[in-house]
Amino acid sequence: MALVAAVRVPARVLFRSGARLPGAALGRTERAAGGGDGARRFGSQRVLVEPDAGAGVAVMKFKNPPVNSLSLEFLTELVISMEKLENDKSFRSVILTSDCPGVFSAGLDLTEMCGKSPAHYAEYWKAVQEMWLRLYQSNLVLVSAINGACPAGGCLMALTCDYRILADNPRYCIGLNETQLGIVAPFWFKDTLENAIGHREAERALQLGLLFPPAEALQVGIVDQVVPEEQVQSTALSTIAQWMAIPDHARQLTKAMMRKATASRLITQRDADVQNFVSFISKDSIQKSLQMYLERLKEKKG
């Protein structure tokens, strides 16, 4: 699945109450270089949102080094930042990309899912759900500029977008590789992938935990375009221009219609999904598998 730990308040509570994380100056803004009059950068520890020169476009950069793991803190800041953009009528579109070289996002933080209490697992999973719902149901045009490796939860984030552009680098693979860690992708991960690439390809990819290099990712349809690495950002901007040429109300209603069934399936089963996750991740066999994987990662770093 996609796999850090710390904040003890669910992301949904934080963004609904307007609370802020310590040190995350989400209320502070500063003028962005080259952004023009009124262009302001949202200051945040792990998520940087800055306007681009193109009117109505914001670039959201993930900066949770070394690999942009989806920690509870990162998820909280991401949801708050998305809410700020959605409430600011000057923004119509967002480019999701990475500020960490070589990786878009390595996915859910394994340390959030290993050696913690059931209460923490539940809190963390609610934050993951909230992130997906916020991105998947957004009225904004979302384009992922995938400038690095994109497994598991990173892939899930990219799949929520309206359009996906991947840098043409053989090291930048994308896919839901949960089974390789002994984990089963939840039904809404499966639904999101299946919507993109079809039932048969999704079934094969999920069972084998496949990570697709750029050419295969394009062929199977998990991304919409593969371009040279230095052209990812410019291609994202030109793509957004095409989407923004469509009247917002018509595009938004169409998007909501296309995605309603998938989103509603999770919304109506949120509590059960949390309970299933906690029950599954708490199993001794799963904990041992995650611990072994984390130990291997430590050895590689050593």
Side-chain angles (χ1 to χ4, degrees):
M1 178 170 311
L3 310 189
V4 130
V7 184
R8 299 293 179 244
V9 183
R12 58 185 177 141
V13 173
L14 280 171
F15 88 73
R16 285 173 183 163
S17 66
R20 296 178 191 160
L21 291 172
L26 289 163
R28 175 176 57 79
T29 60
E30 58 188 63
R31 200 167 297 278
D37 291 342
R40 288 178 171 80
R41 176 185 291 116
F42 300 169
S44 170
Q45 188 174 347
R46 296 168 185 84
V47 179
L48 178 66
V49 181
E50 55 186 21
D52 196 273
V57 180
V59 178
M60 180 179 287
K61 295 180 178 179
F62 309 144
K63 52 169 193 169
N64 191 28
V67 293
N68 285 330
S69 293
L70 306 186
S71 66
L72 191 53
E73 294 160 314
F74 176 91
L75 291 168
T76 301
E77 293 184 18
L78 177 64
V79 168
I80 294 172
S81 296
M82 278 299 300
E83 186 192 32
K84 288 174 71 72
L85 290 172
E86 288 166 344
N87 289 337
D88 187 335
K89 300 307 179 186
S90 62
F91 291 110
R92 299 173 59 205
S93 59
V94 181
I95 295 172
L96 302 183
T97 194
S98 170
D99 198 46
C100 297
V103 61
F104 180 77
S105 171
L108 305 184
D109 195 315
L110 286 171
T111 63
E112 296 279 15
M113 306 164 67
C114 187
K116 302 293 192 299
S117 67
H120 180 83
Y121 299 147
E123 177 186 350
Y124 180 61
W125 201 242
K126 288 175 184 177
V128 178
Q129 291 177 335
E130 197 71 58
M131 174 273 292
W132 181 81
L133 288 167
R134 173 64 68 177
L135 293 175
Y136 193 70
Q137 298 183 108
S138 178
N139 277 329
L140 300 170
V141 177
L142 299 185
V143 171
S144 52
I146 308 168
N147 54 344
C150 190
C155 176
L156 182 71
M157 281 199 298
L159 286 169
T160 66
C161 293
D162 300 291
Y163 198 85
R164 291 171 289 283
I165 301 160
L166 177 61
D168 192 6
N169 185 319
R171 292 175 296 147
Y172 297 171
C173 294
I174 181 171
L176 298 178
N177 62 325
E178 281 75 3
T179 55
Q180 293 189 29
L181 303 179
I183 300 172
V184 178
F187 70 85
W188 44 286
F189 283 50
K190 182 272 294 183
D191 289 348
T192 313
L193 180 63
E194 188 176 355
N195 289 347
I197 68 175
H199 183 89
R200 174 56 191 149
E201 288 292 354
E203 181 180 9
R204 184 176 71 95
L206 286 169
Q207 287 196 54
L208 296 176
L210 296 180
L211 291 174
F212 299 96
E216 292 180 29
L218 181 63
Q219 183 178 26
V220 78
I222 201 168
V223 299
D224 299 294
Q225 203 168 346
V226 171
V227 301
E229 197 160 353
E230 66 275 9
Q231 295 178 21
V232 170
Q233 194 73 10
S234 60
T235 303
L237 286 169
S238 60
T239 296
I240 273 181
Q242 179 185 9
W243 287 72
M244 288 174 62
I246 305 299
D248 280 343
H249 69 282
R251 182 195 58 76
Q252 290 168 356
L253 288 171
T254 301
K255 180 176 181 176
M257 174 179 65
M258 294 297 296
R259 298 189 172 198
K260 181 179 180 180
T262 301
S264 295
R265 192 171 174 215
L266 175 59
I267 291 169
T268 58
Q269 299 182 53
R270 287 186 75 167
D271 292 341
D273 182 59
V274 170
Q275 292 172 12
N276 288 338
F277 172 76
V278 172
S279 175
F280 179 79
I281 211 68
S282 298
K283 293 180 185 294
D284 288 342
S285 59
I286 301 303
Q287 285 294 304
K288 288 178 181 177
S289 177
L290 292 177
Q291 287 168 4
M292 289 173 61
Y293 185 76
L294 287 171
E295 286 299 322
R296 289 200 298 271
L297 288 179
K298 289 180 182 178
E299 290 174 3
K300 287 182 180 180
K301 291 177 181 177

